[in-house]
Amino acid sequence: IVEDIVSSMAATKTRSSSFSRNISVASTPQIPGLKCGPNGTIFVSSGIPDLDKILGGGFPLGSLVMVMEDIEAPHHMLLLRNFMSQGLVHNQPLLYASPSSEPRSFLGTLPSPVLSKDDKSRDHDPEQEKGLRIAWQYRKYFGEHQQNMEGQRDGKPEYCTDFDLRKPLERRFLSGQRIDCVSLAGSPSLDTFRDRCSTFLAQLPRYDGNLTSAGRIAVQSFYAPQCEYSNREWEMLSFIRSLKSMVRYSNAVAVITFPPSLVSPSFSKRWQHLADTLLSVKAIPDEDKELANLLTGYNDMVGLLNVHKVAHFNTQVALRIFCCALGILFAMVLFIGVSVIE
């Protein structure tokens, strides 16, 4: 009897410590779109399978991701579109903010999954992949028999889906969803947007003991000139700090893109320091002979993706040690290729 009681208590005990979330581990794997990581970390997918592998599983819940844009190319939009589409495919709440006067029209540009969620099997052929993928020269470091983050289970959507940039997301993914779109154009301050974020994240409390879904916040071109607050750098810095604090205590991930060339160097460094995961994108020159000789498939690549910082939740390992190892393996430079571009 004593053994049965102890076994029952161990099975129902909620994992709780200073380095892990107060969430039932047994129930988490049943939730579509979420993935368990080491030390109680829970991930959501970036929408790009290869990037998820590089980051150790995806974006951790409660993290702030910042993407530095290249003003000469809109490659950051590819990352943002895949991130948003992946959440909508998994029926996750979405808050999207844009300097556009009609941000909801951006939803019509989101890519569609390559396979429908009703497909039960998949013949993985790299030659037939469509969408955004990352090609790097160090695949051997991962090994051939990695844990598969793709594929469907019991007819449920994949954790990370391949997307076809030529096809828009089907309306069924946009109907009945908890989608909130905010226009930042002409906003004199960020108080209203801060309140919208607070209301959105209040629906996704972190320590409620019953994780049923995860939310996503996507902010496009935060420092856009058409926003009236763009000359108030201290106010924007305060907003990012506030958003990071709110996201940390919720079951959500926030992704912010911004053009670092428009921000003063000192504030750009402060913004980068606040990010849990820091990425940057850069266009590849039309004719770069050095890169052409170095890389296989150079003609199919459209830009560079740099990983500057990786979130290190629920661990005592120093960030600089992990980044150093990452730099050795990938030289901190990863390459974006869009297979649908002919």
Side-chain angles (χ1 to χ4, degrees):
I1 297 176
V2 174
E3 292 180 356
D4 293 339
I5 295 176
V6 172
S7 300
S8 177
M9 293 177 61
T12 58
K13 184 178 179 181
T14 301
R15 197 171 187 176
S16 178
S17 72
S18 58
F19 295 101
S20 63
R21 292 179 177 275
N22 186 19
I23 295 174
S24 176
V25 178
S27 61
T28 302
Q30 307 297 326
I31 303 174
L34 299 182
K35 177 184 178 68
C36 284
N39 304 318
T41 303
I42 301 176
F43 296 99
V44 296
S45 174
S46 65
I48 307 172
D50 287 340
L51 181 57
D52 286 348
K53 295 177 183 178
I54 293 168
L55 298 178
F59 298 143
L61 282 183
S63 65
L64 173 66
V65 182
M66 302 198 73
V67 181
M68 294 184 285
E69 305 173 4
D70 183 354
I71 59 174
E72 297 182 358
H75 297 330
H76 64 279
M77 302 297 290
L78 300 176
L79 300 177
L80 207 61
R81 286 189 177 101
N82 278 45
F83 173 75
M84 295 170 61
S85 292
Q86 189 66 74
L88 295 179
V89 167
H90 287 130
N91 196 31
Q92 295 172 348
L94 171 67
L95 173 61
Y96 169 66
S98 166
S100 171
S101 58
E102 297 181 359
R104 185 165 290 273
S105 61
F106 183 73
L107 300 179
T109 68
L110 300 182
S112 176
V114 172
L115 296 178
S116 66
K117 67 177 182 179
D118 295 327
D119 293 333
K120 302 290 180 142
S121 62
R122 176 180 178 180
D123 185 13
H124 184 74
D125 184 1
E127 296 295 330
Q128 297 179 354
E129 286 184 350
K130 295 182 175 63
L132 181 65
R133 69 172 184 266
I134 298 178
W136 69 91
Q137 309 300 315
Y138 306 94
R139 189 179 295 272
K140 60 183 179 181
Y141 289 105
F142 287 97
E144 296 295 334
H145 303 286
Q146 269 209 23
Q147 180 180 0
N148 186 15
M149 291 190 295
E150 304 174 3
Q152 290 186 338
R153 298 176 181 177
D154 301 328
K156 296 180 180 179
E158 303 168 345
Y159 168 73
C160 186
T161 310
D162 287 319
F163 291 96
D164 188 345
L165 300 179
R166 300 172 301 180
K167 299 179 181 179
L169 192 65
E170 298 178 16
R171 291 184 178 273
R172 62 189 177 93
F173 292 116
L174 302 176
S175 60
Q177 299 272 359
R178 289 178 287 174
I179 303 176
D180 190 7
C181 296
V182 180
S183 174
L184 301 177
S187 300
S189 70
L190 290 167
D191 294 338
T192 302
F193 184 39
R194 183 185 287 108
D195 293 340
R196 296 282 287 272
C197 291
S198 177
T199 302
F200 176 81
L201 294 173
Q203 306 171 15
L204 304 161
R206 174 176 175 180
Y207 294 116
D208 62 353
N210 184 23
L211 178 58
T212 58
S213 181
R216 301 184 181 222
I217 296 178
V219 183
Q220 174 193 341
S221 301
F222 184 57
Y223 199 95
Q226 54 265 49
C227 301
E228 295 184 11
Y229 60 78
S230 60
N231 60 344
R232 304 175 186 175
E233 293 183 328
W234 281 109
E235 182 179 352
M236 288 186 289
L237 179 64
S238 175
F239 170 81
I240 295 175
R241 286 174 175 168
S242 177
L243 178 61
K244 180 178 181 179
S245 177
M246 290 188 292
V247 170
R248 187 70 91 240
Y249 291 97
S250 68
N251 290 318
V253 174
V255 175
I256 300 177
T257 71
F258 72 97
S261 58
L262 301 181
V263 187
S264 63
S266 61
F267 276 90
S268 179
K269 291 296 182 182
R270 289 185 173 96
W271 290 19
Q272 297 173 37
H273 178 73
L274 287 173
D276 296 306
T277 298
L278 180 63
L279 311 173
S280 67
V281 292
K282 184 178 181 180
I284 293 180
D286 293 335
E287 295 183 2
D288 192 324
K289 295 182 179 180
E290 293 183 1
L291 282 178
N293 294 331
L294 177 64
L295 304 175
T296 303
Y298 168 78
N299 294 330
D300 296 329
M301 299 177 185
V302 298
L304 304 178
L305 172 62
N306 301 303
V307 179
H308 301 272
K309 188 194 298 186
V310 178
H312 60 301
F313 285 7
N314 304 340
T315 178
Q316 299 184 61
V317 178
L319 176 63
R320 60 179 179 274
I321 297 177
F322 181 78
C323 285
C324 179
L326 187 65
I328 293 174
L329 291 180
F330 306 106
M332 298 304 290
V333 179
L334 309 172
F335 304 92
I336 302 176
V338 183
S339 61
V340 300
I341 295 180
E342 300 294 342

